[in-house]
Amino acid sequence: SAAVRDRLRIAIQKSGRLADPARQLLAACGLSWRESRDRLFCYGETLPVDLLLVRDDDIPGLIADGVCDLGVVGRNVLLEQDGDRRGNGRAPAFREWRALGFGGCRLAIAVPDAWQWQGPQDLAGKRIATSYPALLTQWLAQQGVDAQVVLLSGSVEIAPRLGQAEAICDLVSSGATLSANQLKAVQTLVESEAVLAGPVDRFDDVRGELADLLLRRLDGALRVRNSKLLMFQAPRGLLSELLPLLPDAEQPTVMRLDDGDDVALQALCHGAVTWQRLEELKRAGARGLMVLPVEGMLA
Ligand code: ATP
Ligand code: MG
């Protein structure tokens, strides 16, 4: 659309796996919204950033059409629709801006348990049921395998039992759905997670600054997600023994205390800080150990 907008509009899933984590992540970036009664459009309060609540499949198209500026969607959906556009000779109209670290799953080939899988060539002449025809077709071409793609919009995992296909190509996370249907994943096509999707090019109006602000906050929120601030005191002389015990930490800050040889140390730790690790630090001479949640970070 030609209209210049001075607000940023982000499409997220209305309900489903990505709906809550997407909202939580955007809220962690300092955004808040006035709830609307129809629950389709949420007007941004703290910043001029509005939400549109939609089906995940619609998100790439909304970006392509300029109805929305950004969206939170699975990489699997984004790549499939991008592949579909390319397959039809159309120019790319959206791309991944950031990986968001939730909604992890993979698009995989799965076959009946009894199949002694040797490799992609096993699929030659077979029927493969999927909701991801573009990605599957691309992959088969790369592998040089000639197979028939059977398009199903849902319940792909029961296709082999119904005799519609010999194999499937579907999303897998735990694998529980597959094993409940006597199938096993044998080959990964795409490692997926939720991503922030946007147009191919930057915005050239006020939305560009809003998007930059959002990306900076997003990077900060993603960086400190699962991070903890670890603080303790210790005699300076023990530092060389203590530092190697810090769990997956960034360069710690060491502060001299007014009296004597003691220092206070703080370190940003990525990943879990376990009780066991705290006990090891204490045995090595640390005192007053404290673990604090980190809510934001601006580098
Ligand atoms: P909508 O009504 O919005 O179309 P949907 O049923 O297509 O919803 P969900 O099942 O909520 O979508 O899945 C959304 C996304 O979650 C998927 O596209 C995928 O990126 C991710 N995901 C993570 N794990 C799984 C899984 N085990 N199965 C399916 N999707 C998964
Ligand atoms: Mg969907």
Side-chain angles (χ1 to χ4, degrees):
S1 74
V4 174
R5 280 205 303 270
D6 55 2
R7 300 179 68 82
L8 202 62
R9 196 180 288 166
I10 307 179
I12 65 170
Q13 201 185 17
K14 181 176 168 71
S15 60
R17 293 171 203 264
L18 307 182
D20 286 341
R23 258 175 186 267
Q24 281 158 16
L25 182 59
L26 293 172
C29 295
L31 305 185
S32 70
W33 306 272
R34 196 185 301 154
E35 284 302 331
S36 70
R37 220 159 303 144
D38 63 12
R39 289 245 316 138
L40 183 68
F41 185 84
C42 303
Y43 186 83
E45 289 193 309
T46 36
L47 280 176
V49 180
D50 307 322
L51 292 187
L52 201 64
L53 309 183
V54 297
R55 300 253 342 237
D56 66 346
D57 319 69
D58 294 336
I59 292 176
L62 289 167
I63 296 171
D65 294 342
V67 175
C68 283
D69 303 307
L70 301 170
V72 176
V73 64
R75 180 181 294 138
N76 48 297
V77 171
L78 201 68
L79 289 178
E80 171 65 23
Q81 296 197 21
D82 188 54
D84 181 62
R85 290 181 68 93
R86 284 168 199 270
N88 289 304
R90 301 167 75 192
F94 38 77
R95 67 177 171 86
E96 178 174 327
W97 280 27
R98 286 290 189 285
L100 300 179
F102 60 87
C105 58
R106 59 206 171 95
L107 183 67
I109 301 285
V111 299
D113 282 330
W115 191 320
Q116 307 270 314
W117 179 257
Q118 308 284 317
Q121 290 301 329
D122 281 13
L123 296 168
K126 299 287 197 287
R127 295 168 303 165
I128 312 169
T130 191
S131 308
Y132 294 84
L135 291 175
L136 175 57
T137 304
Q138 254 172 43
W139 180 79
L140 287 170
Q142 279 163 15
Q143 303 297 316
V145 172
D146 196 12
Q148 188 188 332
V149 176
V150 177
L151 179 59
L152 296 181
S153 57
S155 303
V156 169
E157 67 280 356
I158 62 171
R161 271 192 293 153
L162 295 180
Q164 293 170 297
E166 284 73 42
I168 69 169
C169 169
D170 202 9
L171 296 178
V172 185
S173 45
S174 68
T177 309
L178 288 184
S179 56
N181 288 282
Q182 293 97 51
L183 299 170
K184 58 180 180 184
V186 290
Q187 186 92 42
T188 298
L189 277 59
V190 177
E191 293 284 355
S192 186
E193 65 188 280
V195 303
L196 182 73
V200 177
D201 297 318
R202 295 171 48 85
F203 303 108
D204 51 14
D205 53 24
V206 68
R207 288 174 298 169
E209 284 148 47
L210 276 173
D212 287 345
L213 175 80
L214 183 67
L215 284 178
R216 280 196 301 273
R217 291 189 182 183
L218 199 56
D219 289 339
L222 292 172
R223 241 178 113 191
V224 298
R225 168 181 293 207
N226 306 323
S227 293
K228 301 279 184 228
L229 187 68
L230 172 63
M231 299 172 60
F232 60 82
Q233 295 173 20
R236 178 180 291 278
L238 293 178
L239 272 182
S240 59
E241 283 159 59
L242 287 165
L243 290 179
L245 295 177
L246 292 180
D248 190 14
E250 290 189 14
Q251 185 62 43
T253 306
V254 180
M255 291 156 287
R256 190 184 357 198
L257 297 179
D258 278 344
D259 50 339
D261 285 336
D262 280 1
V263 293
L265 181 144
Q266 66 181 46
L268 183 66
C269 301
H270 303 289
V273 182
T274 60
W275 279 109
Q276 193 186 341
R277 189 54 68 101
L278 293 178
E279 286 152 4
E280 282 169 19
L281 285 161
K282 189 171 166 65
R283 274 197 298 275
R287 296 188 321 276
L289 288 143
M290 230 185 315
V291 183
L292 296 97
V294 181
E295 292 192 353
M297 171 161 184
L298 202 56

